[in-house]
Amino acid sequence: MLKIGGIEMKNQVVLAPMAGVCNPAFRLIAKEFGTGLVCAEMVSDKAIIHGNKRTREMLFVDEREKPLSLQIFGGDRESLVEAAKVVDQETNADIIDINMGCPVPKVTKCDAGARWLLDPNKIYEMVSAVVESVSKPVTVKMRIGWDSEHIYAVENARAVERAGGQAVSVHGRTREQLYTGHANWDIIKEVKEAVSIPVIGNGDVASPEDARRMLDLTNCDGVMIGRGALGNPWMLYRTIEYLQSGELLPDPSPEEKIRIAILHMDRLVALKGEAVAVREMRKHLAWYLKGLKGSARIKDAIMEETKRDDMVRILDQFVSQLHMVENDELSTSAASPAAIAQ
């Protein structure tokens, strides 16, 4: 099993720290679906130090989510260390993760996120400063490089290890790729062979079979699932079951998808209030509805809603209409000449 410092996970599956997604409402669902480790969305070191209300809410950890990794980012050593101390001493997170993979310009312009990928010496300096200041295990999430000409994944991972980092998660894309093209699992394998700390592979894991292939190819210690879990937490438990038993569980029914979507929304309402939660839930519902027959026609209606009960009404009507369509199709099939001939 995956073990980081003294913290042992019950399986190898990790939920990626996706911005705007991995708040307690979704993380708890992921944990209930069996995920070994859940990661909170990244929080700015400066925001943590200034301690505004919204940031403090982002540091909240429900005991049911544990073990949990809380991710911070920043480009200044002093402020990063101070933020890490807050996470260490004032939250019940189990692991402090440092982001050195975020590709967005507003982060990299601050000498943070993926900007670190160009300088293994800075990685060593920053990570060691944090490690020396906290008692919780420190990990790093990184990409393989800045661009195709600057891939220092092995050197960067070794710097993390020398600095006292307890694990490294490697997304197999460069900063330049963003989320396009293909993740390079061969480089994840090279990182795994170069360090003795746990390596968690990330990138292009869209099915349980992908997770199995990544583990077999790279020999990494864990597999991190990000976009594959958007509106689809079943991907997490299906992957866990497949890795453990080889059994590929079926996809959920439309009713089950909508039931979990409503649970997700209700937890968001409890967390953020109805007005904010319903607006935020619009994008999640688009993901939950993806692939369901006829869902395109209700997505526009969902994007206009501001009330929880109205959203639920639309979703319940959609499921009822799906049943009507399925029953009509069954009746037509049963009355067909081929069916009668049988």
Side-chain angles (χ1 to χ4, degrees):
M1 288 300 99
L2 175 62
K3 187 175 182 181
I4 297 174
I7 301 160
E8 190 166 348
M9 320 309 158
K10 61 183 179 180
N11 55 60
Q12 297 170 284
V13 175
V14 181
L15 176 68
M18 294 174 284
V21 173
C22 290
N23 51 48
F26 186 67
R27 296 194 313 250
L28 185 54
I29 289 172
K31 182 61 71 171
E32 290 167 343
F33 276 57
T35 310
L37 175 67
V38 294
C39 302
E41 58 187 311
M42 68 178 188
V43 187
S44 158
D45 58 351
K46 301 268 194 309
I48 291 173
I49 294 168
H50 294 149
N52 66 59
K53 182 174 181 290
R54 182 174 176 274
T55 300
R56 288 295 171 150
E57 289 172 354
M58 292 177 73
L59 299 180
F60 171 74
V61 177
D62 187 311
E63 279 293 319
R64 294 171 292 175
E65 300 177 69
K66 294 163 67 68
L68 175 136
S69 169
L70 209 158
Q71 188 180 77
I72 61 176
F73 74 94
D76 175 74
R77 182 170 67 176
E78 184 177 335
S79 60
L80 192 71
V81 166
E82 290 306 309
K85 286 180 179 177
V86 172
V87 175
D88 187 51
Q89 298 166 18
E90 300 180 29
T91 80
N92 56 344
D94 301 279
I95 296 164
I96 301 169
D97 189 57
I98 301 173
N99 179 294
M100 50 181 264
C102 182
V104 301
K106 70 177 182 181
V107 172
T108 57
K109 283 178 181 175
C110 300
D111 202 25
R115 195 73 192 174
W116 292 24
L117 299 171
L118 292 165
D119 190 352
N121 291 327
K122 172 161 185 169
I123 292 169
Y124 173 79
E125 173 193 328
M126 299 285 272
V127 174
S128 60
V130 171
V131 168
E132 290 168 7
S133 304
V134 300
S135 59
K136 292 176 179 176
V138 176
T139 62
V140 165
K141 185 173 191 293
M142 68 183 211
R143 286 176 174 247
I144 57 172
W146 180 259
D147 55 31
S148 58
E149 302 297 316
H150 302 85
I151 295 178
Y152 307 140
V154 168
E155 297 92 327
N156 290 340
R158 283 176 172 160
V160 170
E161 183 176 35
R162 285 200 319 274
Q166 298 284 306
V168 60
S169 302
V170 184
H171 182 167
R173 286 181 173 84
T174 63
R175 181 265 171 191
E176 183 181 54
Q177 283 181 276
L178 300 178
Y179 298 96
T180 64
H182 297 288
N184 190 326
W185 292 1
D186 290 331
I187 295 178
I188 298 174
K189 180 181 181 181
E190 290 175 14
V191 171
K192 173 59 186 171
E193 291 170 350
V195 297
S196 59
I197 58 175
V199 174
I200 300 167
N202 178 219
D204 290 351
V205 180
S207 69
E209 298 97 321
D210 289 338
R212 178 77 272 164
R213 282 193 294 271
M214 173 180 273
L215 289 168
D216 290 344
L217 175 69
T218 67
N219 199 34
C220 60
D221 302 275
V223 58
M224 181 174 278
I225 297 172
R227 287 177 293 165
L230 294 176
N232 186 21
W234 299 270
M235 165 63 177
L236 300 165
Y237 87 76
R238 292 178 75 237
T239 299
I240 293 161
E241 183 61 36
Y242 187 70
L243 293 180
Q244 292 178 346
S245 71
E247 181 183 359
L248 195 58
L249 298 175
D251 285 319
S253 65
E255 293 92 338
E256 174 67 1
K257 281 195 167 188
I258 298 306
R259 183 181 75 82
I260 296 298
I262 293 171
L263 173 64
H264 186 170
M265 177 166 59
D266 286 343
R267 285 178 173 168
L268 266 183
V269 169
L271 192 69
K272 301 187 175 188
E274 183 178 39
V276 173
V278 171
R279 283 200 305 273
E280 192 171 303
M281 197 64 201
R282 293 169 183 168
K283 65 183 179 187
H284 290 283
L285 284 170
W287 292 324
Y288 278 106
L289 290 165
K290 186 177 180 181
L292 294 184
K293 190 173 183 178
S295 62
R297 70 177 182 269
I298 72 162
K299 285 180 183 174
D300 288 342
I302 283 170
M303 294 302 165
E304 299 296 323
E305 286 303 335
T306 58
K307 300 292 185 183
R308 179 265 181 201
D309 289 348
D310 291 338
M311 200 77 98
V312 171
R313 176 182 49 78
I314 291 170
L315 295 171
D316 286 343
Q317 287 176 351
F318 171 67
V319 172
S320 297
Q321 289 167 359
L322 272 182
H323 277 308
M324 291 173 60
V325 170
E326 288 172 1
N327 290 336
D328 287 345
E329 289 175 348
L330 285 172
S331 299
T332 303
S333 174
S336 70
I340 293 169
Q342 291 174 355

